[in-house]
Amino acid sequence: MIVGVPTEIKPDEYRVALLPVGAEELTRHGHRVLIQSGAGIDEIFAQADLVIKVKEPLPAEWPKLRAGQILLTYFHFAANEELTRAVLSTGITAVAYETLRGAKGNLPCLTPMSEVAGRMSIQQGAKYLERPQEGRGILLGGVPGVPPADIVIFGGGVVGKNAAQIAAGFQADVSILDINVDRLRYLEDIMPANVNTLFSDRHTVREQLMKADLLIGAVLIEGARAPVLVKEEDLKLMKPGAVIIDVAVDQGGCVETARPTTHSDPTYIVNDVVHYCVANMPGAVGRTSTYALCNVTFPYALRIANHGLNAACTADPGLAHAVNMSAGKLTNRAVAETFGLAYEEYLPGA
């Protein structure tokens, strides 16, 4: 199989989709690898049977996609109808990292980037709470005689857990909200005393917005658009100079006023609240993120190259679940329902 690795063109994206050891392994198994540093982007898309990327194809790349080609990357279709329709029209097979399921029903390709984003959210939140960044001028951990910051985290999944662990290390006062009581019990068991767990309902959300210095949006519904937990009118409840880090922005965001930003222009202000909504947060720490990503994605890429997608998906139903589009058909139910498009189940053995 010819495997292509184009350079990422999303602004401030420093991750790469394949490590040198991955290229070596692919060639050792008899495959040919085209990398944009040595091959032109047109050559890669024209020749490659399997294209491996980190982020979704941008409009400049859409015309280069061709029917029958397999594209393995993060897509997050439910947040972008234009992307969904454009990629669907190309006839490619879209294999989305974010919906690939592991043997235990987990999301192994999403987990490492969620870990990075969760930890980064506190790092970025600490910076944007500083007064020169238009924040409240608060040190996360406070000092003797001065209380620490109040950090509120919506969602107790991988992002929320990692954010809470880092925030707790800063000695902030942390609250995690979730609707899964079993998950809250687990978090209560593993977190230090400065982390509190709360069941998420509309009243609790409003109460926490009033106290939050830093709000982390870490809500995920697999393959679907993130639920909106904070309406624009709710921002009036927040303190002037409070900071929102909406990690869910790549899935549409859990804050109504969230819109995707870039690392070069990461923030904006609505109702005196600083919004940080970078859609590819892990891209800023590209070295860490690339190794973390490729550690989990490469085995799947190699399996597809060695056996073909249908055979690989027949052997691994979790990989089949990552097939969001196949030959011009939308095979992700959540995305189809989001945009009112026709859905067809992907059957690898058919």
Side-chain angles (χ1 to χ4, degrees):
M1 186 175 283
I2 300 176
V3 180
V5 185
T7 298
E8 300 295 324
I9 63 172
K10 193 176 185 75
D12 302 307
E13 179 55 70
Y14 301 104
R15 290 171 289 183
V16 295
L18 189 70
L19 291 169
V21 67
E24 181 179 333
E25 281 294 300
L26 283 166
T27 55
R28 191 170 67 83
H29 281 79
H31 307 292
R32 183 181 173 204
V33 180
L34 302 177
I35 298 174
Q36 192 174 339
S37 60
I41 188 169
D42 290 327
E43 180 183 357
I44 287 175
F45 281 102
Q47 294 191 36
D49 307 299
L50 169 63
V51 176
I52 308 174
K53 285 177 54 31
V54 176
K55 292 299 290 180
E56 75 282 354
L58 297 186
E61 295 170 308
W62 297 344
K64 303 181 189 303
L65 302 175
R66 55 181 174 80
Q69 196 168 56
I70 303 167
L71 178 54
L72 181 62
T73 190
Y74 289 111
F75 284 102
H76 297 291
F77 283 123
N80 192 330
E81 184 173 359
E82 183 184 14
L83 171 70
T84 300
R85 292 183 180 276
V87 175
L88 190 61
S89 70
T90 67
I92 70 160
T93 296
V95 184
Y97 292 143
E98 69 272 12
T99 60
L100 194 156
R101 288 183 179 170
K104 298 179 180 179
N106 59 325
L107 303 171
C109 295
L110 191 61
T111 295
M113 296 302 95
S114 295
E115 291 168 337
V116 172
R119 296 179 183 210
M120 274 191 71
S121 69
I122 303 303
Q123 183 174 306
Q124 297 300 317
K127 177 168 65 179
Y128 288 101
L129 273 174
E130 296 173 0
R131 193 68 194 104
Q133 311 298 329
E134 302 186 87
R136 284 177 49 74
I138 290 180
L139 184 66
L140 288 190
V143 292
V146 182
D150 282 306
I151 299 179
V152 176
I153 302 170
F154 289 166
V158 177
V159 172
K161 170 179 170 287
N162 279 269
Q165 288 172 323
I166 299 302
F170 272 97
Q171 300 182 344
D173 284 337
V174 185
S175 297
I176 306 178
L177 281 68
D178 204 289
I179 59 173
N180 185 329
V181 177
D182 288 335
R183 182 65 177 180
L184 292 176
R185 290 194 180 103
Y186 164 74
L187 293 169
E188 185 79 21
D189 287 341
I190 67 168
M191 291 293 171
N194 58 329
V195 178
N196 298 303
T197 58
L198 298 169
F199 185 80
S200 181
D201 58 37
R202 185 66 185 144
H203 285 189
T204 306
V205 166
R206 285 201 296 261
E207 289 172 358
Q208 294 303 307
L209 289 176
M210 287 188 282
K211 65 177 281 191
D213 297 303
L214 172 61
L215 172 65
I216 307 296
V219 181
L220 171 71
I221 298 177
E222 181 192 328
R225 195 200 185 285
V228 176
L229 302 183
V230 181
K231 303 289 187 180
E232 182 171 4
E233 63 192 39
D234 296 334
L235 298 184
K236 298 174 184 176
L237 300 172
M238 300 186 73
K239 305 168 187 174
V243 175
I244 292 174
I245 309 283
D246 196 342
V247 182
V249 71
D250 58 2
Q251 285 289 95
C254 62
V255 177
E256 187 175 39
T257 47
R259 55 176 172 80
T261 60
T262 65
H263 288 291
S264 56
D265 188 16
T267 64
Y268 57 93
I269 296 175
V270 178
N271 288 351
D272 294 325
V273 176
V274 179
H275 291 56
Y276 175 100
C277 303
V278 175
N280 61 329
M281 288 177 64
V285 287
R287 186 171 297 276
T288 298
S289 297
T290 292
Y291 279 91
L293 176 65
C294 292
N295 286 344
V296 295
T297 58
F298 177 71
Y300 293 101
L302 182 61
R303 208 174 305 163
I304 293 169
N306 283 346
H307 305 294
L309 181 64
N310 285 340
C313 288
T314 300
D316 182 357
L319 177 58
H321 196 263
V323 179
N324 282 207
M325 295 179 185
S326 177
K329 298 173 182 176
L330 186 55
T331 54
N332 181 303
R333 187 185 300 274
V335 175
E337 291 176 352
T338 298
F339 301 125
L341 297 171
Y343 163 78
E344 185 167 325
E345 184 181 1
Y346 171 65
L347 300 172

